Each structure stands twice: as structure tokens, then as C-alpha cells.
Amino acid sequence: MAKYYHITTYGCQMNVHESEKIAGVLTELGYEACENIEDCDIAVFNTCCIRENAENHAFGNIGMLKKLKAKKRDMIIAVGGCLTQQMGKAEDLHGKFPYVDIIFGTHNLGNLKQLILKKQARKKAVIEIEDCDGKVTEGEKPFRTSYPNAWINITYGCNNFCSYCIVPYVRGRERSRRSENIIAEAKQLISEGYKEITLLGQNVNSFANGTDDISFPELLRQIANIDGKFRLRFMTSHPKDFSEELAKIIAENPKICHAVHLPAQSGSDAILKAMNRKYTSGDYLKKVEILKKYVPDCALTTDLIVGFPGETDEDFKDTLNLVKKVGFSSAFTFVYSKREGTVAAKMENQVPEEVSKTRIMELISLVNSQTREQSAKYVGKTVEVLCEDYDKKKNLYLGRDEHGRMVYFESEKDISGEFVNVRINSANGVSLMGEITNGKE
Ligand code: SAH
Ligand code: SF4
Ligand code: F3S
């Protein structure tokens, strides 16, 4: 009889890819994916704890499974990811939800198969949270779900300790995979027909730091040199490590997309210092200038936080000014969320919630107006789109151009995974509408 799995993923791209690895393990154990959690034999929650709401979301959904588990006693519930790795949270989870069968840390993914087998052989919950510093696992077999895109981890962990951020505590110290393994994985994926490769790391620019391996720009160059038509993307770049060499490599290799995610976090020098970001707004603007010098059409996206402890109206204005100066094609905006164990959690002058709310509304409205302005410039142009999927509700195909803009269009036949030229007829906020055309502008 078929056995089914269901995975709920929270958080970043890294976690989305890790869920593909979890799916790989479950496939190996003979499980198949199912859409409704009610139908599954094993439910996995791959959690995130970057902000309090991410954490609450996971706790809420796990709580909702109590009734189902009471009805389906043999169903296995497993909780993994960053939340479980946080100090004391695994015990907390076990106490609140005693019906959860397996709790595993960010570093125990490689062991998941054994944990499931262990649970099947006993009644008691299996809890395994290893110290997340350390080794790099190779030879994983992710069950990829995002064709024509494929993610490849290049680094794990983070050494930056931005004062607001929990990631270094739940993902451990930064470590890099060997370039030969990464290049081999990219070659394999391209030979299997994947058309877009995204290299993942908390700070890709510091790839191989302190080892004898090649630098990040060189890694990009070597992957871009692999035969075949495909796109190459990477995220995330920490501005302090963004180099002129990297800008040149992007300019010289047509397969590397002209799109860079460069999280600014704030435009205020005092706040950037308190955040331990190790750059000023002036440094950030200089990096943008260098990038634009080599890649004038490069789309820039960013992350911004409002309401960091001590943020004054003036500091917030500096953030608005930075956004105005750069002109982001889109931005993720967040209200600061206090994370226990981080340096910022102990800071005085926490900003009142109402103040942060007003600020984020103002910031979102500025960012949206920039996004709309940039989208409008596409109208009448023809862009190359990698068709990713079909939107049933809209009855349209969709994909992105190299700058990362979502484009919707009609097609008679299924062209998922193909590159097509699309003439843009209209723009709607962050997305564009167009029609397939044979010629380029
Ligand atoms: N490594 C990446 C970011 C990973 S986390 C980088 O340094 O750019 C993604 C984003 O979440 C961060 O860029 C930041 O904007 C936001 N973030 C992280 N911790 C946060 C917190 N405590 N409160 C609000 N936003 C936070
Ligand atoms: Fe967090 Fe900073 Fe590391 Fe990004 S670079 S993961 S924001 S500590
Ligand atoms: Fe990602 Fe959330 Fe962990 S953003 S690294 S899943 S805390």
C-alpha cells in the first residue's frame, strides 16, 4: 500500500531546498508526496525562527495536528529546522506537543532516515538536536520540486552575528562545500535539463573563506562556463563582502543574471553600527555604484528592517533616503523582532510597536511605488522569460526575466522549462503581462 508524506516549510530559500532534501529521504523510504496533510502517513514541519511570527506560525500549525493524530495514531509527526535548534525549544516543543514523534535539528537532516526507523521501532518520541557547528554533508539526494529551477547550497551557517539575527545560533559557523562538488552538482543538473541554478548561502561572497579553494567570483565563472543554455543566480550577498571582481564576473558572463540581492537592512549609520553590519550607508551606495558601473541594467533587491532598538525618526528617514537613492526593483521589509539570545535582545530603547507599524507602512508604500515605476518601464519591451509554471486560476503561464520580474503570458502548449521572448503589454505592481513573440526588440 502506498505511504504518503506531507512537508510544511517555513522560512527562507535555504529551508525550501532543505525540504527537498527531506523529501529525498522520504522518497528513499518509499513515501510519496500528497497535497493534504490529512492524507499523509508522515507529516514534517521544517521550521524557521527568524522572526517571532514565523515561530508562532509553526507552533500554531503543529498544534492543529493534535486532533488528526488522535484519529490517526500511526501517523508520524516530525519537526525539524531552525526552531528546534534554538536553545531550549526542542524541550519546549516536546512539552507543548507530546504527540510529536520526532524532533530533529538543522544538523540532523542526514540522519532523518535513521530517526524515522528508530521511531517506528519504539513508542517514545525521538529527539535529536546536534550542535550545528561542523561538517558539510555531501551526496544528498534532494527530491527537487522546482523545475526548471534548482538550488545548490554552497555555504552553510554564518559568522557575521548581525546583532538582531538568530541564524548564527541555529545554523552554526560558516562552512563551505568544496567547489569541485558544487560544480559537479551544477553539471549534473544542467545535463538533466534544469535551466536555472541558484547558489545558496547566508553570505555567498565569503565562500571558501580561509581555505585553499577558489573564490566565489571564480566559482561563478566556472559554473557559467558549463555548456548549455541556463541561468545562474546566487543569494545572499552581504554588502561588506561584495567586490569589484564579482561585479566584473557578472558583467562578463551572460549566463549570470543581472539581478543581485543586497540586503541593506537600514540607511542609518548609527543603526547599521548597532546592527553590527560592518558598513555605512555610504559604503553601501559605493558598492551599488561599482555594480552599476559594470552592470548598468542590474536589478537590485534588498531586505530592510524598521524598529531596530534605538531607531529614531531621523534614522528611519535615512532608510527612506537610501531607498530613494538606490531605486530597488523590490524589497522585503520587516519589523524588527526580538530574538532571545541575540545581542540586540538585550538592548534598551526597544521601539514601540505602533511606531514600527507606522514606519513599515511608509516604507512599504515607498518601495511599492519604486517597484511600480520600474515595472512600468517594461511596457513595450521584449524580455526573455524562463517559463516556470502554469497558473490555473489565471489560466496563464508564468516565468521570470533575468532581472527576476514575474511575467504572465498565454501559451497554447505547455512550455514550462523553455525560454521564450515575451513582449510586455502591461504592468501590475510587481508582475508584468505580455505575449509571446518571435523576435526580440
Ligand atoms: N544572510 C542574509 C539574511 C538572512 S535572514 C543576509 O545577511 O542578508 C533574511 C532577512 O531577515 C534579513 O536580511 C533581515 O532583513 C531579516 N531579519 C533577520 N533577523 C530579523 C529580526 N530579528 N527581525 C526582523 N527581521 C529580521
Ligand atoms: Fe543573519 Fe547577518 Fe548572518 Fe545574514 S549575515 S544570516 S542577517 S547574521
Ligand atoms: Fe532560514 Fe529561517 Fe533558518 S530564514 S536559516 S529558516 S531561521
Side-chain angles (χ1 to χ4, degrees), residues 10-12 14-15 47-50 82 166-167 170-171 202:
Y10 309 84
C12 61
M14 200 92 65
N15 246 22
T47 61
C48 168
C49 57
I50 196 84
C82 292
I166 195 79
V167 172
V170 294
R171 292 278 178 175
Q202 294 297 351

Side-chain angles (χ1 to χ4, degrees), residues 4-10 15 18-26 29 31 34 37 40-47 58 61-62 65 75-81 84 100-104 109 112 116:
Y4 295 101
Y5 72 80
H6 184 279
I7 305 176
T8 315
T9 309
Y10 309 84
N15 246 22
E18 238 131 67
S19 285
E20 294 184 330
K21 294 181 189 173
I22 294 172
V25 172
L26 298 173
L29 285 170
Y31 290 91
C34 71
I37 200 160
C40 76
D41 301 288
I42 179 162
V44 184
F45 292 89
N46 191 13
T47 61
N61 287 354
I62 299 165
L65 273 204
M75 176 177 138
I76 295 178
I77 302 176
V79 181
T84 63
V100 168
D101 300 284
I102 301 171
I103 301 178
F104 61 104
L109 230 169
L112 184 60
I116 294 171

Side-chain angles (χ1 to χ4, degrees), residues 96-114:
K96 273 204 179 86
F97 313 113
Y99 53 88
V100 168
D101 300 284
I102 301 171
I103 301 178
F104 61 104
T106 53
H107 213 64
N108 303 95
L109 230 169
N111 243 353
L112 184 60
K113 189 171 163 180
Q114 283 71 30

Side-chain angles (χ1 to χ4, degrees), residues 330-389:
S330 68
F332 294 104
T333 52
F334 306 108
V335 170
Y336 165 75
S337 170
K338 187 173 168 179
R339 303 284 68 206
E340 260 350 298
T342 62
V343 171
K346 294 185 214 80
M347 288 180 184
E348 286 168 13
N349 306 327
Q350 301 280 331
V351 174
E353 217 181 298
E354 315 81 68
V355 175
S356 294
K357 271 196 187 147
T358 318
R359 286 181 188 163
I360 196 133
M361 296 312 283
E362 192 173 347
L363 182 61
I364 290 174
S365 124
L366 173 63
V367 164
N368 285 351
S369 72
Q370 287 195 336
T371 303
R372 274 197 303 274
E373 247 171 57
Q374 295 204 5
S375 290
K377 288 188 191 149
Y378 275 89
V379 177
K381 287 195 176 142
T382 297
V383 292
E384 188 180 57
V385 174
L386 171 58
C387 180
E388 290 176 7
D389 211 347

Side-chain angles (χ1 to χ4, degrees), residues 183 214-225 245 249:
I183 294 164
I214 56 176
S215 67
F216 178 62
E218 179 57 22
L219 176 71
L220 276 180
R221 199 183 63 76
Q222 292 197 17
I223 298 178
N225 274 345
E245 191 194 353
I249 292 278

Side-chain angles (χ1 to χ4, degrees), residues 269-430:
D269 289 348
I271 295 296
L272 285 169
K273 190 156 195 288
M275 285 178 162
N276 192 29
R277 288 291 286 180
K278 301 193 174 74
Y279 55 85
T280 61
S281 59
D283 296 334
Y284 184 91
L285 289 169
K286 246 180 240 146
K287 300 276 170 151
V288 172
E289 202 181 299
I290 291 170
L291 176 60
K292 294 269 169 149
K293 180 173 135 198
Y294 291 97
V295 195
D297 71 328
C298 194
L300 263 170
T301 52
T302 200
D303 294 346
L304 298 160
I305 297 176
V306 304
F308 183 84
E311 187 187 67
T312 62
D313 283 339
E314 277 309 305
D315 292 321
F316 175 61
K317 271 198 196 115
D318 288 344
T319 299
L320 295 175
N321 283 334
L322 181 84
V323 172
K324 284 178 194 154
K325 278 184 197 150
V326 177
F328 294 104
S329 73
S330 68
F332 294 104
T333 52
F334 306 108
V335 170
Y336 165 75
S337 170
K338 187 173 168 179
R339 303 284 68 206
E340 260 350 298
T342 62
V343 171
K346 294 185 214 80
M347 288 180 184
E348 286 168 13
N349 306 327
Q350 301 280 331
V351 174
E353 217 181 298
E354 315 81 68
V355 175
S356 294
K357 271 196 187 147
T358 318
R359 286 181 188 163
I360 196 133
M361 296 312 283
E362 192 173 347
L363 182 61
I364 290 174
S365 124
L366 173 63
V367 164
N368 285 351
S369 72
Q370 287 195 336
T371 303
R372 274 197 303 274
E373 247 171 57
Q374 295 204 5
S375 290
K377 288 188 191 149
Y378 275 89
V379 177
K381 287 195 176 142
T382 297
V383 292
E384 188 180 57
V385 174
L386 171 58
C387 180
E388 290 176 7
D389 211 347
Y390 174 68
D391 185 321
K392 276 189 220 149
K393 274 195 208 138
K394 289 194 167 82
N395 199 15
L396 292 169
Y397 281 88
L398 65 137
R400 272 171 302 150
D401 80 332
E402 74 158 320
H403 299 122
R405 286 278 149 170
M406 192 63 85
V407 182
Y408 289 89
F409 50 93
E410 282 180 358
S411 170
E412 306 255 298
K413 60 178 177 96
D414 185 358
I415 48 164
S416 302
E418 287 178 33
F419 287 96
V420 281
N421 290 325
V422 178
R423 191 174 49 240
I424 305 303
N425 296 329
S426 63
N428 174 18
V430 76

Side-chain angles (χ1 to χ4, degrees), residues 160-180:
N160 288 316
F161 288 95
C162 302
S163 62
Y164 50 82
C165 184
I166 195 79
V167 172
Y169 303 91
V170 294
R171 292 278 178 175
R173 293 296 61 70
E174 181 183 275
R175 53 223 181 258
S176 301
R177 290 177 67 196
R178 291 293 305 179
S179 58
E180 54 272 25

